[in-house]
Amino acid sequence: MKKNESLLDKIDKVTILYDLYGELLTSKQKDILEKYYFYNLSLTEISDLENISRSAVLDSLNKSVKKLEEYEEKLKFEERIKKIETLEDIKFNKENILKILRDEERE
């Protein structure tokens, strides 16, 4: 996690990356990551459910998040989606401005 990144920012980032690349994780990695990020279970709760140590849960989470970040670094799907959203916003705003200008000309 980056120094200035809040916990909510981290959760948002992980959930987006999971949506994009989650199927590339092992079933065990997905299971632990989902329990922690989606079901809000603690490390201790997950370790009890999985019959593994708390440090093993933390290690799995860290490795899973790192893998997701590596996939994004290589494939850049999230970056591409943001660019598309920005272009759609620009197009939407342009169309609205043109509509307003046309409406004003008619008046």
Side-chain angles (χ1 to χ4, degrees):
M1 186 159 78
K2 297 175 186 170
K3 284 185 179 183
N4 296 333
E5 190 175 41
S6 73
L7 181 59
L8 288 177
D9 290 338
K10 168 87 175 185
I11 292 169
D12 283 347
K13 180 177 180 160
V14 170
T15 55
I16 289 168
L17 293 178
Y18 181 83
D19 285 345
L20 293 170
Y21 308 111
E23 291 304 313
L24 300 173
L25 298 174
T26 67
S27 59
K28 192 72 164 174
Q29 287 173 320
K30 288 191 318 187
D31 185 47
I32 290 173
L33 193 136
E34 288 172 2
K35 286 175 179 166
Y36 185 77
Y37 284 100
F38 300 140
Y39 300 111
N40 203 26
L41 297 181
S42 69
L43 298 177
T44 303
E45 291 170 322
I46 297 169
S47 71
D48 289 344
L49 288 170
E50 299 295 325
N51 292 318
I52 58 176
S53 70
R54 189 179 174 281
S55 62
V57 173
L58 183 59
D59 185 54
S60 176
L61 285 169
N62 289 334
K63 285 180 180 178
S64 299
V65 170
K66 185 176 180 191
K67 273 281 191 212
L68 294 173
E69 290 170 342
E70 288 172 358
Y71 292 136
E72 174 57 22
E73 189 177 309
K74 291 176 183 170
L75 300 171
K76 303 200 183 301
F77 287 143
E78 182 187 18
E79 184 179 311
R80 292 177 192 175
I81 290 169
K82 286 180 181 177
K83 284 181 183 177
I84 290 169
E85 288 172 347
T86 301
L87 290 173
E88 288 175 352
D89 286 345
I90 291 170
K91 181 181 176 191
F92 178 77
N93 288 334
K94 178 183 173 188
E95 289 171 357
N96 281 340
I97 290 169
L98 289 172
K99 183 181 181 302
I100 290 169
L101 289 173
R102 280 190 224 109
D103 290 347
E104 285 181 359
E105 285 178 355
R106 290 184 190 140
E107 292 178 2

